[in-house]
Amino acid sequence: MVLAKPALKTVLDRPAQLRGLAMLALLGLVLAILVGMIWRNLSRLDTIQAYVSYSHLVQDAGLGLQQVLVDTFSGIHPGPRRLQEQSEKIRKLIREDAHLDQDTPARLGVVDSALREAGGGSLADARSQLSDAVKVMHLILSAETDQRERVLEEISRDTLAELELATGTLTVILVTAWIFLRRRILAPLNDLRHLLSNLAQEDFVPMDTKGLDPLLVPVFDSYNLMVRNLGELEEAKRMYALSLEAEVRSATQALLEQQRSLARAERLAAIGELAAAVAHELRNPLAGIQMSCQNLRNEIRDPDQAERLDLIGAELKRMARLLNNLLEQGRQSPLPACEFNLAELVRELLALTRYQVPAEIMLEQDIPADLECYLPESNLRQILLNLVLNAAQALVGNPGTIRLVAQREEDKVLLEVIDDGPGFSPEILAKGIRLFGTGRVRGTGLGLAIVQRFVRELGGQIRLSNQTPHGACVSITLPLRSSQP
């Protein structure tokens, strides 16, 4: 397994090296064609320059002969020396061998012979020989010019053909490279781009690597490995989310059971408070009855009636003891206060209450993040829980919103629980919060009473009001810091 990766890399690098060498060979071929064209054109330019120089020499020699011929018409004999100079030019042209027409050397020889003959004869003979020599020179110059034009046409045609060949070869190379890049490189990379964009939609589909260019195989193998890993991670995340959701539901169910138990305990506490109030009200008249019975006992001398009064007095004492026990049980010890963040407490409360409230009811909060309180947290949590559940029961069957709003007012905090339900009944707004007083058919009348008792224990105030056009608002004012230990 350790040797497999280097071997695979060698196998994958070999086609890339071959393609690179092929591309370099094609580029080298194009470069060679271009260099060859430049070299041949330079050689042709040198040849043409030589031909042009030769033509200039021919033309110069022809002009010299014409000048000598013109002098003969003026009666001036050229003389052997002058004819010898012209003959030297002609022989130089013969020696250079830069002519284009194959008859040029022979014709130059005829001119040279004519010049030699003109030097030894009379003026008329010299004129005749020079005239023949000028005609031959014109013929030579004309033939050289025709041949030079033909050579130039051939060079131009060859150069154009070579340029077309180089251009065609370069075009074929570029088109081949473009087709190769588009089909073997760009198209798979474009598919990879679409696949990567689909990853955001959790589409973990691997790509088939058959027919891919070996250069791209490692890239797509890495992509497929990444897709498999992402799929496994997504499945693990889904399973973890399911297990976490099950745990949250279980914990929420347990919390709801605890809240129901706490609600029952609060109802019993309210009933105990009512019993304590009744016991307190009964204890005073019961003490008067007991004193009257004791006085009456002291005045009666009949043993039977005295015994009956003693029985009544004993029962009255037992009832007094029961009432005192009720009062003792009705007394509550305050919970300890602690420092907490009100926004965090409300956020946790709404997150847990979400499972008790229908989905069509929205839960919102507007509480400053830096609002710190020093109060009995459990009591405040129970207050807000009762108010939210009361608002949800008022909205049952209808969509709506429950908002918890808080703001600091000097050394106090104002808490408002607002809903857009039907609002409080005029009777509740007029008479206030009363134990067992409710505006709902199945209400117990304990929720607001318990909230009121808690608020008073914390040294706060509670106020009920209705919103416009509809809705209820419970406003609670509490000290930021409780005086309880």
Side-chain angles (χ1 to χ4, degrees), residues 11 18 69-70 81 94 106 157 190 213 229 291 318 380 397 402 435:
V11 172
L18 292 177
L69 179 62
V70 169
R81 183 177 177 181
I94 295 174
R157 186 169 55 253
N190 189 46
D213 191 86
N229 292 335
M291 291 297 295
R318 189 173 66 83
L380 183 57
I402 300 174
L435 196 62

Side-chain angles (χ1 to χ4, degrees), residues 164-404:
E164 291 176 352
L165 176 62
T167 304
T169 304
L170 184 59
T171 303
V172 170
I173 292 174
L174 293 177
V175 171
T176 304
W178 169 249
I179 294 174
F180 173 79
L181 289 174
R182 182 167 182 173
R183 292 185 178 179
R184 303 297 298 274
I185 305 295
L186 297 180
L189 289 179
N190 189 46
D191 295 340
L192 180 61
R193 181 177 64 84
H194 289 298
L195 291 174
L196 290 175
S197 63
N198 291 338
L199 286 180
Q201 304 175 0
E202 299 183 358
D203 184 7
F204 305 112
V205 178
M207 185 172 183
D208 187 12
T209 57
K210 293 181 179 178
L212 280 178
D213 191 86
L215 283 175
L216 297 179
V217 170
V219 176
F220 284 91
D221 285 343
S222 300
Y223 170 79
N224 291 338
L225 178 60
M226 179 186 68
V227 165
R228 285 194 294 271
N229 292 335
L230 287 177
E232 293 174 358
L233 290 175
E234 184 66 22
E235 181 65 20
K237 185 184 77 172
R238 188 181 67 83
M239 297 302 296
Y240 177 74
L242 291 177
S243 63
L244 186 61
E245 183 178 356
E247 293 178 3
V248 170
R249 290 185 180 277
S250 177
T252 304
Q253 188 66 27
L255 183 60
L256 293 179
E257 291 295 333
Q258 292 177 2
Q259 289 179 351
R260 281 193 285 269
S261 300
L262 184 59
R264 287 194 296 268
E266 292 296 337
R267 292 189 182 93
L268 293 176
I271 294 173
E273 184 178 357
L274 176 62
V278 173
H280 182 271
E281 296 298 327
L282 290 179
R283 189 172 60 170
N284 291 333
L286 189 60
I289 295 173
Q290 187 177 2
M291 291 297 295
S292 297
C293 288
Q294 184 65 32
N295 292 335
L296 185 60
R297 167 69 177 80
N298 294 332
E299 294 175 359
I300 294 177
R301 302 300 178 187
D302 188 351
D304 291 337
Q305 293 182 354
E307 184 179 0
R308 291 177 182 177
L309 288 174
D310 289 337
L311 291 175
I312 293 174
E315 291 298 322
L316 289 174
K317 289 180 181 180
R318 189 173 66 83
M319 291 179 63
R321 286 195 302 270
L322 290 174
L323 292 177
N324 287 332
N325 289 335
L326 285 176
L327 287 174
E328 289 295 330
Q329 293 176 2
R331 293 192 182 96
Q332 296 182 358
S333 58
L335 294 175
C338 63
E339 189 85 19
F340 62 89
N341 183 274
L342 183 58
E344 185 67 21
L345 182 144
V346 171
R347 186 187 65 79
E348 295 176 358
L349 177 68
L350 293 183
L352 294 175
T353 310
R354 179 74 272 175
Y355 293 93
Q356 304 178 62
V357 175
E360 63 269 13
I361 297 178
M362 304 295 295
L363 300 177
E364 299 178 356
Q365 73 174 76
D366 184 10
I367 299 176
D370 59 345
L371 187 54
E372 301 289 334
C373 299
Y374 184 78
L375 296 168
E377 182 181 3
S378 298
N379 287 356
L380 183 57
R381 189 184 295 269
Q382 190 61 36
I383 289 173
L384 297 177
L385 176 63
N386 286 345
L387 293 178
V388 172
L389 293 180
N390 280 354
Q393 290 172 3
L395 289 168
V396 67
N398 299 310
T401 303
I402 300 174
R403 297 179 64 244
L404 275 74

